[in-house]
Amino acid sequence: MKGKVCLVTGASRGIGAAIASALAERGARVVVHYGHAKELAVKVAENLAGSDHLVVGANLANPDAADEFMESVVDQTGRLDVLVNNAGIFVPHPPMTVDADDWLFKWEQTLAVNLLSPAALCQSAAKIMAEQGGGRIINIGSRGAFRGEPECPAYAASKAGLHAMSQSLAVALAPHGILVYAVAPGFVATDMAQELLDSEKGAGIRAQSPLGRVAKPEEIAETVCFLASSRAEFLSGGIIDINGASYLRS
Ligand SMILES: NC(=O)c1ccc[n+]([C@@H]2O[C@H](COP(=O)([O-])OP(=O)(O)OC[C@H]3O[C@@H](n4cnc5c(N)ncnc54)[C@H](OP(=O)(O)O)[C@@H]3O)[C@@H](O)[C@H]2O)c1
């Protein structure tokens, strides 16, 4: 990864911050993206191994702005080798409780951040990477795409879409030297899951895995680093489960 430019969206905390840290440890120049938490992102960047890392902000609730955001990144770095679409939101909207307007609003909000912005960033990145002769795109999906999210159906749908998009792009972009992967974590100990893990449901959630725990962000980061390396070429098109055997799909 020495000298590779890696853009990690949603790197101000959680899984994104762990990915940024693991990539930097392997010698990458990391672009630490944040949505709202600039101070946290600056701290993440300050603690990364190596030097020349960047901090960039962009609200991914607006997919139309993704192209401009990507341009501003490459203006500063001169190139892009790895894109990790990690930023995401989980906004509950139980179908029998929310009213119709709220239901639709939550769907639009979730799809914008979790699917449409990653789609826009994938296309901008692919054009840049193709000109450079290749690159890697890693999309952070979810076990919820397979198992369902009864309280948050838009989240499950957005991640199922992200998985399907990754597979289609793996085919479309391989001739340009661009490899595309998705990873599908189960529960991970981050802000996104903390309220549930701390609630009375926490013990049941940990018991979903025969290992009796949820994942650490660093475990997702290790897999992403492998996919970003030159060793994972033939895994392109794969959706890698990281769920401690909590959900086995055929
Ligand atoms: N935690 C889990 O159990 C779990 C399980 C499976 C998959 N995942 C997926 O893993 C990824 C990372 O999750 P996490 O647990 O690390 O979540 P997290 O701790 O809630 O962090 C989410 C990240 O996404 C960014 N983000 C959210 N909305 C944004 C927006 N509108 N524009 C730009 N950035 C935005 C946040 O940036 P700011 O705070 O700066 O706005 C933050 O850096 C997500 O795609 C999530 O769906 C998580």
Side-chain angles (χ1 to χ4, degrees):
M1 301 300 307
K2 193 113 192 88
K4 300 273 184 206
V5 175
C6 303
L7 166 60
V8 184
T9 69
S12 53
R13 54 201 161 91
I15 296 169
I19 293 170
S21 170
L23 288 168
E25 267 168 36
R26 287 158 176 81
R29 182 183 184 197
V30 181
V31 182
V32 176
H33 160 266
Y34 66 91
H36 310 91
K38 183 176 181 180
E39 278 180 27
L40 287 183
V42 168
K43 269 203 189 110
V44 168
E46 281 172 358
N47 287 322
L48 295 180
S51 56
D52 285 341
H53 307 298
L54 290 180
V55 176
V56 289
N59 185 354
L60 299 179
N62 177 14
D64 289 336
D67 235 11
E68 198 182 320
F69 161 59
M70 185 62 81
E71 261 176 44
S72 80
V73 168
V74 175
D75 278 351
Q76 295 176 75
T77 59
R79 60 182 293 116
L80 181 70
D81 299 292
V82 176
L83 165 65
V84 184
N85 274 312
N86 165 78
I89 54 172
F90 183 95
V91 192
H93 48 282
M96 301 309 280
T97 321
V98 295
D99 65 33
D101 285 348
D102 201 23
W103 171 257
L104 206 53
F105 173 71
K106 298 275 169 52
W107 270 84
E108 286 169 355
Q109 192 186 21
T110 302
L111 291 176
V113 178
N114 291 9
L115 183 57
L116 297 180
S117 280
L121 291 175
C122 280
Q123 195 198 23
S124 314
K127 290 179 177 168
I128 293 158
M129 289 171 180
E131 272 183 27
Q132 292 168 187
R136 307 265 189 284
I137 298 175
I138 300 152
N139 294 319
I140 308 300
S142 173
R143 180 189 67 169
F146 307 114
R147 192 171 167 264
E149 293 287 357
E151 303 285 305
C152 206
Y155 179 84
S158 70
K159 295 300 187 177
L162 196 64
H163 295 167
M165 177 182 74
S166 305
Q167 294 187 310
S168 298
L169 291 182
V171 178
L173 302 181
H176 302 278
I178 301 166
L179 310 173
V180 186
Y181 316 91
V183 301
F187 271 103
V188 186
T190 68
D191 291 352
M192 185 180 274
Q194 208 53 52
E195 204 178 309
L196 265 178
L197 293 173
D198 289 344
S199 75
E200 78 280 358
K201 293 182 179 163
I205 290 171
R206 284 181 278 278
Q208 288 173 2
S209 165
L211 299 174
R213 65 175 179 88
V214 300
K216 300 175 204 140
E218 293 75 20
E219 292 176 299
I220 316 305
E222 280 301 312
T223 302
V224 169
C225 283
F226 174 62
L227 297 174
S229 77
S230 54
R231 290 171 293 149
E233 183 176 80
F234 227 60
L235 270 175
S236 191
I239 302 167
I240 319 296
D241 294 312
I242 313 179
N243 67 36
S246 63
Y247 185 75
L248 305 176
R249 62 192 170 95
S250 48

